[in-house]
Amino acid sequence: MPNNAAAKKRMRQEQKRRLHNRSVKSLVKTQITKAREAVASAGTDAEEAVRIAVSELDRAAKKGVIHRNNAARRKSRLMKQLNAS
């Protein structure tokens, strides 16, 4: 438990940031899943789904929620799946 005011404030900030980061990560995972399903079903909306997923990955990396190399790796794998289908 925090013992002084600064530590209490830091704890509140961390909690708020953790909740925000969790929601961003969840959104990224959802979009990646939708993109993979669209690619697997070989639908016409596969490119659009991948584009949205890439956009969310870029946004998460820009905000520092995930590392930029992590985002790049995931984008690369998505594009590889899209081009293979």
Side-chain angles (χ1 to χ4, degrees), residues 28-29 32 57 69-78:
V28 167
K29 287 179 185 178
I32 288 174
L57 282 165
N69 290 354
N70 186 327
R73 183 181 66 244
R74 291 181 185 207
K75 291 190 307 188
S76 175
R77 289 177 181 173
L78 269 178

Side-chain angles (χ1 to χ4, degrees), residues 17-35:
R17 191 170 292 119
R18 185 168 46 248
L19 290 174
H20 179 260
N21 288 348
R22 189 188 306 167
S23 70
V24 172
K25 283 182 185 180
S26 176
L27 183 61
V28 167
K29 287 179 185 178
T30 301
Q31 294 302 330
I32 288 174
T33 303
K34 286 182 180 179

